[in-house]
Amino acid sequence: MTTQTDIPPAETGGERRSWLREHSELGVCVLLLALGVLVLTDALTMDVDIAQRGPVGPKTVPVVVGAGLLAIAALLALDVLRGGRGQAEGGEDIDLSEPADWRTVLLLAGVFLGAAVLIEPLGFPLAGALLFWGAAFALGSRRIDRDPLIAAGLSLVTYTVFNNLLGVPLPGGPLMGVL
C-alpha cells in the first residue's frame, strides 16, 4: 500500500519558473557567450593584408577579447550553477530614490554626436578637443581657464599616439599640414 508521501512530486511549471528566477544570471552568461562568438567570428574572418605591420596585427585584440568573453561566460555560468549570486545594489553609491540626471545624459549624448559629425570636416585633433572639453563640462567641470588646454593636449597626444605610433590613420583636418 502506498501513501501520498511515497509518490515523488511531479515538476510543475511554478517550480521551473522558480529555478529560472533563482538562476537569472545565466541570461548574462548567454549574452556574454553570444557576444564572444560574434567577436571571434568577426575577428577570424577579418581581411588584414593591408594593415599588417608586424607579428601583432589587427586580429590580436579582438581574438583576445572574444576568448576573454567566452571564458568569463563559462566561469560565471559555473559560479551561478554552484549557487553563487550577485549582490543587489550592495556596493553602489547611488540613491535610488533620486531621479536620473537627464541633463547630463543629454549633454553627453550631444557632445558624442557632435564629435562624430565634426571629426571628418575638422579632423580628430579639433573634434577630439571639443569632445573632451564638452564631456568635462557636461560632467560638471567649470574651469574655463584650464579645461580647453587639457582637452587640446589630450586630443593631440591621442592623435599622435594613434596616427604616428600605432599606424591607425585618423583624419587630421585643417591641421594636417601643421601636425
Side-chain angles (χ1 to χ4, degrees):
M1 179 170 176
T2 61
T3 63
Q4 286 287 45
T5 57
D6 293 338
I7 301 172
E11 185 174 312
T12 64
E15 289 176 8
R16 184 180 187 103
R17 275 189 231 119
S18 175
W19 187 89
L20 287 174
R21 184 167 285 149
E22 290 175 6
H23 298 89
S24 61
E25 289 94 346
L26 290 175
V28 176
C29 299
V30 171
L31 179 68
L32 289 172
L33 178 74
L35 191 59
V37 168
L38 177 70
V39 169
L40 279 176
T41 303
D42 198 32
L44 294 176
T45 59
M46 183 186 308
D47 185 26
V48 294
D49 294 338
I50 296 172
Q52 187 75 26
R53 285 190 147 184
V56 177
K59 285 185 178 183
T60 305
V61 172
V63 167
V64 169
V65 169
L69 285 168
L70 293 179
I72 289 172
L75 291 172
L76 181 60
L78 186 64
D79 181 52
V80 169
L81 292 174
R82 286 184 174 176
R85 296 193 52 105
Q87 293 180 349
E89 302 294 334
E92 297 291 330
D93 188 22
I94 58 173
D95 185 6
L96 295 175
S97 64
E98 290 292 320
D101 185 8
W102 288 107
R103 179 184 178 273
T104 301
V105 172
L106 292 175
L107 278 172
L108 281 173
V111 165
F112 284 122
L113 182 63
V117 169
L118 294 175
I119 196 167
E120 196 61 40
L122 293 183
F124 184 84
L126 292 176
L130 290 173
L131 170 71
F132 295 136
W133 187 16
F137 181 83
L139 293 172
S141 180
R142 299 294 185 258
R143 296 287 309 262
I144 298 191
D145 58 334
R146 177 184 66 180
D147 290 345
L149 296 175
I150 293 173
L154 188 58
S155 181
L156 286 174
V157 167
T158 304
Y159 176 78
T160 303
V161 166
F162 275 89
N163 197 56
N164 299 341
L165 299 177
L166 295 176
V168 177
L170 295 174
L175 299 177
M176 192 60 130
V178 177
L179 301 175

